[in-house]
Amino acid sequence: QVTLVESGGGLVQAGGSLRLSCAASTGTFSQYVMGWFRQAPGKEREFVAAISWRTDNTFYGDSVKGRFTISRDNAKSTAYLQMDGLKPEDTAVYYCAAAGPHSDYVSIFPADFGSWGQGTQVTVSS
């Protein structure tokens, strides 16, 4: 289990940008797959993005591809989600998650991530 703390959420106008951060409390951060998910009221938790631990390969949900960028800084034990071109439908609570260590694959399913942050609210006004 890894303790994850998200920050950077807030209120932004459509077309704007936000950068979410996820700080992890582990010295082996580099060995974890990191993911971002979101959940809007009344909807299921949705995969947003993930980054592998070995090659830093990145994966995105179809609804955010080309607008969001996931990255990681292993020296700071922190993952990031840069969100550009935000739309009102991006409004949700955003969660950081970790899978591993040494996960053999990058999953898009919440059940495959063993550690979760508390979430940070992102609201996009039209």
Side-chain angles (χ1 to χ4, degrees), residues 63-95:
S63 60
V64 306
K65 206 170 291 184
R67 300 187 297 123
F68 290 12
T69 303
I70 188 172
S71 62
R72 65 191 301 157
D73 185 336
N74 290 335
K76 296 182 178 180
S77 296
T78 301
Y80 303 96
L81 184 69
Q82 177 67 40
M83 305 186 294
D84 299 316
L86 283 161
K87 305 174 181 179
E89 51 264 44
D90 293 319
T91 295
V93 177
Y94 283 71
Y95 296 91

PDB file of all heavy atoms in Angstrom, residues 63-95:
ATOM      1  N   SER A  63     -11.664   9.876 -24.348  1.00  0.00           N
ATOM      2  CA  SER A  63     -12.269  11.199 -24.153  1.00  0.00           C
ATOM      3  C   SER A  63     -11.245  12.286 -23.829  1.00  0.00           C
ATOM      4  O   SER A  63     -11.559  13.471 -23.925  1.00  0.00           O
ATOM      5  CB  SER A  63     -13.328  11.143 -23.044  1.00  0.00           C
ATOM      6  OG  SER A  63     -12.729  10.734 -21.825  1.00  0.00           O
ATOM      7  N   VAL A  64     -10.020  11.897 -23.457  1.00  0.00           N
ATOM      8  CA  VAL A  64      -9.017  12.907 -23.088  1.00  0.00           C
ATOM      9  C   VAL A  64      -7.796  12.881 -23.997  1.00  0.00           C
ATOM     10  O   VAL A  64      -6.910  13.735 -23.866  1.00  0.00           O
ATOM     11  CB  VAL A  64      -8.555  12.735 -21.622  1.00  0.00           C
ATOM     12  CG1 VAL A  64      -9.759  12.727 -20.688  1.00  0.00           C
ATOM     13  CG2 VAL A  64      -7.720  11.472 -21.443  1.00  0.00           C
ATOM     14  N   LYS A  65      -7.754  11.924 -24.908  1.00  0.00           N
ATOM     15  CA  LYS A  65      -6.585  11.768 -25.781  1.00  0.00           C
ATOM     16  C   LYS A  65      -6.349  13.052 -26.574  1.00  0.00           C
ATOM     17  O   LYS A  65      -7.280  13.621 -27.155  1.00  0.00           O
ATOM     18  CB  LYS A  65      -6.811  10.585 -26.719  1.00  0.00           C
ATOM     19  CG  LYS A  65      -5.554   9.911 -27.213  1.00  0.00           C
ATOM     20  CD  LYS A  65      -5.897   8.609 -27.918  1.00  0.00           C
ATOM     21  CE  LYS A  65      -6.420   7.571 -26.958  1.00  0.00           C
ATOM     22  NZ  LYS A  65      -6.680   6.266 -27.615  1.00  0.00           N
ATOM     23  N   GLY A  66      -5.112  13.516 -26.572  1.00  0.00           N
ATOM     24  CA  GLY A  66      -4.762  14.729 -27.285  1.00  0.00           C
ATOM     25  C   GLY A  66      -4.924  16.008 -26.470  1.00  0.00           C
ATOM     26  O   GLY A  66      -4.480  17.078 -26.890  1.00  0.00           O
ATOM     27  N   ARG A  67      -5.563  15.903 -25.303  1.00  0.00           N
ATOM     28  CA  ARG A  67      -5.762  17.086 -24.450  1.00  0.00           C
ATOM     29  C   ARG A  67      -5.041  16.959 -23.117  1.00  0.00           C
ATOM     30  O   ARG A  67      -4.609  17.973 -22.553  1.00  0.00           O
ATOM     31  CB  ARG A  67      -7.254  17.303 -24.187  1.00  0.00           C
ATOM     32  CG  ARG A  67      -8.071  17.537 -25.438  1.00  0.00           C
ATOM     33  CD  ARG A  67      -9.512  17.916 -25.086  1.00  0.00           C
ATOM     34  NE  ARG A  67     -10.203  16.842 -24.381  1.00  0.00           N
ATOM     35  CZ  ARG A  67     -10.769  16.979 -23.182  1.00  0.00           C
ATOM     36  NH1 ARG A  67     -10.709  18.137 -22.559  1.00  0.00           N
ATOM     37  NH2 ARG A  67     -11.403  15.964 -22.628  1.00  0.00           N
ATOM     38  N   PHE A  68      -4.943  15.745 -22.587  1.00  0.00           N
ATOM     39  CA  PHE A  68      -4.324  15.512 -21.283  1.00  0.00           C
ATOM     40  C   PHE A  68      -2.974  14.818 -21.488  1.00  0.00           C
ATOM     41  O   PHE A  68      -2.786  14.041 -22.422  1.00  0.00           O
ATOM     42  CB  PHE A  68      -5.206  14.612 -20.422  1.00  0.00           C
ATOM     43  CG  PHE A  68      -6.479  15.249 -19.930  1.00  0.00           C
ATOM     44  CD1 PHE A  68      -6.947  16.453 -20.432  1.00  0.00           C
ATOM     45  CD2 PHE A  68      -7.245  14.603 -18.962  1.00  0.00           C
ATOM     46  CE1 PHE A  68      -8.120  17.022 -19.979  1.00  0.00           C
ATOM     47  CE2 PHE A  68      -8.424  15.158 -18.497  1.00  0.00           C
ATOM     48  CZ  PHE A  68      -8.865  16.368 -19.006  1.00  0.00           C
ATOM     49  N   THR A  69      -2.062  15.083 -20.542  1.00  0.00           N
ATOM     50  CA  THR A  69      -0.740  14.456 -20.579  1.00  0.00           C
ATOM     51  C   THR A  69      -0.371  13.973 -19.186  1.00  0.00           C
ATOM     52  O   THR A  69      -0.368  14.766 -18.239  1.00  0.00           O
ATOM     53  CB  THR A  69       0.333  15.440 -21.072  1.00  0.00           C
ATOM     54  OG1 THR A  69      -0.034  15.947 -22.366  1.00  0.00           O
ATOM     55  CG2 THR A  69       1.691  14.745 -21.181  1.00  0.00           C
ATOM     56  N   ILE A  70      -0.047  12.698 -19.073  1.00  0.00           N
ATOM     57  CA  ILE A  70       0.414  12.145 -17.802  1.00  0.00           C
ATOM     58  C   ILE A  70       1.936  12.081 -17.825  1.00  0.00           C
ATOM     59  O   ILE A  70       2.550  11.814 -18.866  1.00  0.00           O
ATOM     60  CB  ILE A  70      -0.187  10.748 -17.538  1.00  0.00           C
ATOM     61  CG1 ILE A  70       0.153  10.271 -16.127  1.00  0.00           C
ATOM     62  CG2 ILE A  70       0.251   9.742 -18.595  1.00  0.00           C
ATOM     63  CD1 ILE A  70      -0.579   8.986 -15.729  1.00  0.00           C
ATOM     64  N   SER A  71       2.529  12.339 -16.673  1.00  0.00           N
ATOM     65  CA  SER A  71       3.986  12.257 -16.559  1.00  0.00           C
ATOM     66  C   SER A  71       4.344  11.882 -15.122  1.00  0.00           C
ATOM     67  O   SER A  71       3.473  11.846 -14.251  1.00  0.00           O
ATOM     68  CB  SER A  71       4.644  13.581 -16.949  1.00  0.00           C
ATOM     69  OG  SER A  71       4.231  14.625 -16.084  1.00  0.00           O
ATOM     70  N   ARG A  72       5.607  11.612 -14.902  1.00  0.00           N
ATOM     71  CA  ARG A  72       6.066  11.257 -13.558  1.00  0.00           C
ATOM     72  C   ARG A  72       7.467  11.797 -13.333  1.00  0.00           C
ATOM     73  O   ARG A  72       8.259  11.917 -14.274  1.00  0.00           O
ATOM     74  CB  ARG A  72       6.026   9.747 -13.360  1.00  0.00           C
ATOM     75  CG  ARG A  72       6.998   8.962 -14.247  1.00  0.00           C
ATOM     76  CD  ARG A  72       6.707   7.454 -14.189  1.00  0.00           C
ATOM     77  NE  ARG A  72       6.804   6.953 -12.825  1.00  0.00           N
ATOM     78  CZ  ARG A  72       6.197   5.842 -12.413  1.00  0.00           C
ATOM     79  NH1 ARG A  72       5.465   5.129 -13.245  1.00  0.00           N
ATOM     80  NH2 ARG A  72       6.344   5.439 -11.170  1.00  0.00           N
ATOM     81  N   ASP A  73       7.761  12.109 -12.083  1.00  0.00           N
ATOM     82  CA  ASP A  73       9.100  12.509 -11.662  1.00  0.00           C
ATOM     83  C   ASP A  73       9.491  11.560 -10.538  1.00  0.00           C
ATOM     84  O   ASP A  73       9.075  11.748  -9.385  1.00  0.00           O
ATOM     85  CB  ASP A  73       9.096  13.971 -11.194  1.00  0.00           C
ATOM     86  CG  ASP A  73      10.490  14.476 -10.864  1.00  0.00           C
ATOM     87  OD1 ASP A  73      11.369  13.658 -10.551  1.00  0.00           O
ATOM     88  OD2 ASP A  73      10.685  15.694 -10.905  1.00  0.00           O
ATOM     89  N   ASN A  74      10.271  10.554 -10.861  1.00  0.00           N
ATOM     90  CA  ASN A  74      10.605   9.534  -9.860  1.00  0.00           C
ATOM     91  C   ASN A  74      11.454  10.105  -8.733  1.00  0.00           C
ATOM     92  O   ASN A  74      11.364   9.649  -7.590  1.00  0.00           O
ATOM     93  CB  ASN A  74      11.336   8.374 -10.527  1.00  0.00           C
ATOM     94  CG  ASN A  74      10.426   7.568 -11.434  1.00  0.00           C
ATOM     95  OD1 ASN A  74       9.203   7.535 -11.263  1.00  0.00           O
ATOM     96  ND2 ASN A  74      11.018   6.926 -12.440  1.00  0.00           N
ATOM     97  N   ALA A  75      12.249  11.116  -9.015  1.00  0.00           N
ATOM     98  CA  ALA A  75      13.063  11.728  -7.969  1.00  0.00           C
ATOM     99  C   ALA A  75      12.204  12.416  -6.913  1.00  0.00           C
ATOM    100  O   ALA A  75      12.615  12.535  -5.750  1.00  0.00           O
ATOM    101  CB  ALA A  75      14.038  12.720  -8.585  1.00  0.00           C
ATOM    102  N   LYS A  76      11.028  12.881  -7.325  1.00  0.00           N
ATOM    103  CA  LYS A  76      10.110  13.555  -6.394  1.00  0.00           C
ATOM    104  C   LYS A  76       8.966  12.643  -5.959  1.00  0.00           C
ATOM    105  O   LYS A  76       8.076  13.084  -5.229  1.00  0.00           O
ATOM    106  CB  LYS A  76       9.544  14.817  -7.043  1.00  0.00           C
ATOM    107  CG  LYS A  76      10.581  15.880  -7.346  1.00  0.00           C
ATOM    108  CD  LYS A  76       9.931  17.117  -7.942  1.00  0.00           C
ATOM    109  CE  LYS A  76      10.980  18.199  -8.199  1.00  0.00           C
ATOM    110  NZ  LYS A  76      10.371  19.428  -8.793  1.00  0.00           N
ATOM    111  N   SER A  77       8.948  11.397  -6.423  1.00  0.00           N
ATOM    112  CA  SER A  77       7.860  10.460  -6.101  1.00  0.00           C
ATOM    113  C   SER A  77       6.503  11.082  -6.397  1.00  0.00           C
ATOM    114  O   SER A  77       5.565  10.983  -5.595  1.00  0.00           O
ATOM    115  CB  SER A  77       7.936  10.028  -4.632  1.00  0.00           C
ATOM    116  OG  SER A  77       9.123   9.303  -4.387  1.00  0.00           O
ATOM    117  N   THR A  78       6.391  11.713  -7.544  1.00  0.00           N
ATOM    118  CA  THR A  78       5.184  12.456  -7.895  1.00  0.00           C
ATOM    119  C   THR A  78       4.772  12.163  -9.334  1.00  0.00           C
ATOM    120  O   THR A  78       5.629  12.112 -10.226  1.00  0.00           O
ATOM    121  CB  THR A  78       5.399  13.965  -7.718  1.00  0.00           C
ATOM    122  OG1 THR A  78       5.754  14.228  -6.354  1.00  0.00           O
ATOM    123  CG2 THR A  78       4.135  14.745  -8.061  1.00  0.00           C
ATOM    124  N   ALA A  79       3.477  11.987  -9.513  1.00  0.00           N
ATOM    125  CA  ALA A  79       2.896  11.863 -10.841  1.00  0.00           C
ATOM    126  C   ALA A  79       2.072  13.117 -11.132  1.00  0.00           C
ATOM    127  O   ALA A  79       1.575  13.767 -10.204  1.00  0.00           O
ATOM    128  CB  ALA A  79       2.013  10.625 -10.930  1.00  0.00           C
ATOM    129  N   TYR A  80       1.939  13.434 -12.410  1.00  0.00           N
ATOM    130  CA  TYR A  80       1.236  14.650 -12.811  1.00  0.00           C
ATOM    131  C   TYR A  80       0.211  14.330 -13.893  1.00  0.00           C
ATOM    132  O   TYR A  80       0.355  13.373 -14.645  1.00  0.00           O
ATOM    133  CB  TYR A  80       2.222  15.678 -13.358  1.00  0.00           C
ATOM    134  CG  TYR A  80       3.336  16.047 -12.405  1.00  0.00           C
ATOM    135  CD1 TYR A  80       4.574  15.426 -12.484  1.00  0.00           C
ATOM    136  CD2 TYR A  80       3.129  17.010 -11.422  1.00  0.00           C
ATOM    137  CE1 TYR A  80       5.600  15.758 -11.608  1.00  0.00           C
ATOM    138  CE2 TYR A  80       4.141  17.350 -10.540  1.00  0.00           C
ATOM    139  CZ  TYR A  80       5.381  16.716 -10.644  1.00  0.00           C
ATOM    140  OH  TYR A  80       6.379  17.047  -9.769  1.00  0.00           O
ATOM    141  N   LEU A  81      -0.805  15.173 -13.949  1.00  0.00           N
ATOM    142  CA  LEU A  81      -1.764  15.123 -15.048  1.00  0.00           C
ATOM    143  C   LEU A  81      -1.964  16.554 -15.535  1.00  0.00           C
ATOM    144  O   LEU A  81      -2.584  17.360 -14.832  1.00  0.00           O
ATOM    145  CB  LEU A  81      -3.087  14.506 -14.617  1.00  0.00           C
ATOM    146  CG  LEU A  81      -4.097  14.329 -15.749  1.00  0.00           C
ATOM    147  CD1 LEU A  81      -3.615  13.249 -16.733  1.00  0.00           C
ATOM    148  CD2 LEU A  81      -5.481  13.958 -15.212  1.00  0.00           C
ATOM    149  N   GLN A  82      -1.407  16.857 -16.685  1.00  0.00           N
ATOM    150  CA  GLN A  82      -1.596  18.160 -17.304  1.00  0.00           C
ATOM    151  C   GLN A  82      -2.860  18.111 -18.145  1.00  0.00           C
ATOM    152  O   GLN A  82      -2.965  17.274 -19.052  1.00  0.00           O
ATOM    153  CB  GLN A  82      -0.394  18.533 -18.174  1.00  0.00           C
ATOM    154  CG  GLN A  82      -0.536  19.841 -18.926  1.00  0.00           C
ATOM    155  CD  GLN A  82      -0.553  21.040 -17.993  1.00  0.00           C
ATOM    156  OE1 GLN A  82       0.194  21.098 -17.018  1.00  0.00           O
ATOM    157  NE2 GLN A  82      -1.417  22.014 -18.281  1.00  0.00           N
ATOM    158  N   MET A  83      -3.810  18.977 -17.843  1.00  0.00           N
ATOM    159  CA  MET A  83      -5.096  18.977 -18.527  1.00  0.00           C
ATOM    160  C   MET A  83      -5.262  20.287 -19.283  1.00  0.00           C
ATOM    161  O   MET A  83      -5.331  21.344 -18.666  1.00  0.00           O
ATOM    162  CB  MET A  83      -6.218  18.792 -17.513  1.00  0.00           C
ATOM    163  CG  MET A  83      -6.059  17.547 -16.653  1.00  0.00           C
ATOM    164  SD  MET A  83      -7.469  17.246 -15.571  1.00  0.00           S
ATOM    165  CE  MET A  83      -7.354  18.659 -14.487  1.00  0.00           C
ATOM    166  N   ASP A  84      -5.293  20.203 -20.582  1.00  0.00           N
ATOM    167  CA  ASP A  84      -5.476  21.360 -21.444  1.00  0.00           C
ATOM    168  C   ASP A  84      -6.781  21.233 -22.225  1.00  0.00           C
ATOM    169  O   ASP A  84      -7.307  20.133 -22.378  1.00  0.00           O
ATOM    170  CB  ASP A  84      -4.301  21.481 -22.418  1.00  0.00           C
ATOM    171  CG  ASP A  84      -2.974  21.667 -21.718  1.00  0.00           C
ATOM    172  OD1 ASP A  84      -2.919  22.461 -20.763  1.00  0.00           O
ATOM    173  OD2 ASP A  84      -1.991  21.015 -22.120  1.00  0.00           O
ATOM    174  N   GLY A  85      -7.277  22.349 -22.730  1.00  0.00           N
ATOM    175  CA  GLY A  85      -8.509  22.304 -23.491  1.00  0.00           C
ATOM    176  C   GLY A  85      -9.668  21.717 -22.715  1.00  0.00           C
ATOM    177  O   GLY A  85     -10.465  20.947 -23.249  1.00  0.00           O
ATOM    178  N   LEU A  86      -9.784  22.106 -21.464  1.00  0.00           N
ATOM    179  CA  LEU A  86     -10.803  21.507 -20.602  1.00  0.00           C
ATOM    180  C   LEU A  86     -12.210  21.825 -21.089  1.00  0.00           C
ATOM    181  O   LEU A  86     -12.479  22.926 -21.606  1.00  0.00           O
ATOM    182  CB  LEU A  86     -10.609  21.971 -19.164  1.00  0.00           C
ATOM    183  CG  LEU A  86      -9.459  21.255 -18.428  1.00  0.00           C
ATOM    184  CD1 LEU A  86      -9.028  22.052 -17.211  1.00  0.00           C
ATOM    185  CD2 LEU A  86      -9.880  19.862 -18.041  1.00  0.00           C
ATOM    186  N   LYS A  87     -13.090  20.851 -20.897  1.00  0.00           N
ATOM    187  CA  LYS A  87     -14.492  20.958 -21.297  1.00  0.00           C
ATOM    188  C   LYS A  87     -15.378  20.758 -20.073  1.00  0.00           C
ATOM    189  O   LYS A  87     -14.963  20.102 -19.110  1.00  0.00           O
ATOM    190  CB  LYS A  87     -14.823  19.890 -22.338  1.00  0.00           C
ATOM    191  CG  LYS A  87     -13.920  19.891 -23.556  1.00  0.00           C
ATOM    192  CD  LYS A  87     -14.244  18.705 -24.459  1.00  0.00           C
ATOM    193  CE  LYS A  87     -13.332  18.666 -25.675  1.00  0.00           C
ATOM    194  NZ  LYS A  87     -13.631  17.501 -26.551  1.00  0.00           N
ATOM    195  N   PRO A  88     -16.602  21.266 -20.114  1.00  0.00           N
ATOM    196  CA  PRO A  88     -17.501  21.050 -18.965  1.00  0.00           C
ATOM    197  C   PRO A  88     -17.683  19.568 -18.630  1.00  0.00           C
ATOM    198  O   PRO A  88     -17.816  19.224 -17.443  1.00  0.00           O
ATOM    199  CB  PRO A  88     -18.811  21.686 -19.437  1.00  0.00           C
ATOM    200  CG  PRO A  88     -18.372  22.767 -20.376  1.00  0.00           C
ATOM    201  CD  PRO A  88     -17.180  22.189 -21.090  1.00  0.00           C
ATOM    202  N   GLU A  89     -17.643  18.702 -19.626  1.00  0.00           N
ATOM    203  CA  GLU A  89     -17.796  17.270 -19.364  1.00  0.00           C
ATOM    204  C   GLU A  89     -16.579  16.650 -18.676  1.00  0.00           C
ATOM    205  O   GLU A  89     -16.628  15.473 -18.293  1.00  0.00           O
ATOM    206  CB  GLU A  89     -18.112  16.511 -20.657  1.00  0.00           C
ATOM    207  CG  GLU A  89     -17.164  16.789 -21.809  1.00  0.00           C
ATOM    208  CD  GLU A  89     -17.695  17.858 -22.751  1.00  0.00           C
ATOM    209  OE1 GLU A  89     -18.210  18.901 -22.266  1.00  0.00           O
ATOM    210  OE2 GLU A  89     -17.566  17.667 -23.985  1.00  0.00           O
ATOM    211  N   ASP A  90     -15.516  17.400 -18.497  1.00  0.00           N
ATOM    212  CA  ASP A  90     -14.366  16.928 -17.718  1.00  0.00           C
ATOM    213  C   ASP A  90     -14.580  17.132 -16.219  1.00  0.00           C
ATOM    214  O   ASP A  90     -13.757  16.682 -15.412  1.00  0.00           O
ATOM    215  CB  ASP A  90     -13.090  17.673 -18.139  1.00  0.00           C
ATOM    216  CG  ASP A  90     -12.662  17.355 -19.555  1.00  0.00           C
ATOM    217  OD1 ASP A  90     -12.738  16.182 -19.955  1.00  0.00           O
ATOM    218  OD2 ASP A  90     -12.244  18.294 -20.262  1.00  0.00           O
ATOM    219  N   THR A  91     -15.661  17.788 -15.845  1.00  0.00           N
ATOM    220  CA  THR A  91     -15.961  18.018 -14.434  1.00  0.00           C
ATOM    221  C   THR A  91     -16.149  16.696 -13.709  1.00  0.00           C
ATOM    222  O   THR A  91     -16.951  15.857 -14.112  1.00  0.00           O
ATOM    223  CB  THR A  91     -17.228  18.885 -14.294  1.00  0.00           C
ATOM    224  OG1 THR A  91     -16.968  20.177 -14.846  1.00  0.00           O
ATOM    225  CG2 THR A  91     -17.628  19.020 -12.831  1.00  0.00           C
ATOM    226  N   ALA A  92     -15.373  16.497 -12.646  1.00  0.00           N
ATOM    227  CA  ALA A  92     -15.406  15.249 -11.888  1.00  0.00           C
ATOM    228  C   ALA A  92     -14.440  15.347 -10.712  1.00  0.00           C
ATOM    229  O   ALA A  92     -13.663  16.305 -10.627  1.00  0.00           O
ATOM    230  CB  ALA A  92     -15.003  14.068 -12.769  1.00  0.00           C
ATOM    231  N   VAL A  93     -14.503  14.351  -9.853  1.00  0.00           N
ATOM    232  CA  VAL A  93     -13.447  14.165  -8.862  1.00  0.00           C
ATOM    233  C   VAL A  93     -12.376  13.296  -9.520  1.00  0.00           C
ATOM    234  O   VAL A  93     -12.679  12.236 -10.066  1.00  0.00           O
ATOM    235  CB  VAL A  93     -13.971  13.488  -7.585  1.00  0.00           C
ATOM    236  CG1 VAL A  93     -12.820  13.238  -6.612  1.00  0.00           C
ATOM    237  CG2 VAL A  93     -15.049  14.350  -6.935  1.00  0.00           C
ATOM    238  N   TYR A  94     -11.148  13.768  -9.467  1.00  0.00           N
ATOM    239  CA  TYR A  94     -10.028  13.062 -10.084  1.00  0.00           C
ATOM    240  C   TYR A  94      -9.215  12.341  -9.009  1.00  0.00           C
ATOM    241  O   TYR A  94      -8.852  12.933  -7.991  1.00  0.00           O
ATOM    242  CB  TYR A  94      -9.140  14.046 -10.843  1.00  0.00           C
ATOM    243  CG  TYR A  94      -9.747  14.443 -12.172  1.00  0.00           C
ATOM    244  CD1 TYR A  94     -10.868  15.262 -12.230  1.00  0.00           C
ATOM    245  CD2 TYR A  94      -9.204  13.986 -13.371  1.00  0.00           C
ATOM    246  CE1 TYR A  94     -11.440  15.616 -13.446  1.00  0.00           C
ATOM    247  CE2 TYR A  94      -9.771  14.326 -14.593  1.00  0.00           C
ATOM    248  CZ  TYR A  94     -10.886  15.140 -14.619  1.00  0.00           C
ATOM    249  OH  TYR A  94     -11.446  15.481 -15.829  1.00  0.00           O
ATOM    250  N   TYR A  95      -8.950  11.068  -9.276  1.00  0.00           N
ATOM    251  CA  TYR A  95      -8.238  10.218  -8.333  1.00  0.00           C
ATOM    252  C   TYR A  95      -6.916   9.733  -8.938  1.00  0.00           C
ATOM    253  O   TYR A  95      -6.879   9.320 -10.104  1.00  0.00           O
ATOM    254  CB  TYR A  95      -9.062   8.994  -7.973  1.00  0.00           C
ATOM    255  CG  TYR A  95     -10.347   9.299  -7.261  1.00  0.00           C
ATOM    256  CD1 TYR A  95     -11.533   9.490  -7.969  1.00  0.00           C
ATOM    257  CD2 TYR A  95     -10.392   9.380  -5.866  1.00  0.00           C
ATOM    258  CE1 TYR A  95     -12.720   9.766  -7.311  1.00  0.00           C
ATOM    259  CE2 TYR A  95     -11.578   9.650  -5.208  1.00  0.00           C
ATOM    260  CZ  TYR A  95     -12.741   9.844  -5.935  1.00  0.00           C
ATOM    261  OH  TYR A  95     -13.911  10.118  -5.282  1.00  0.00           O
TER     262      TYR A  95
END
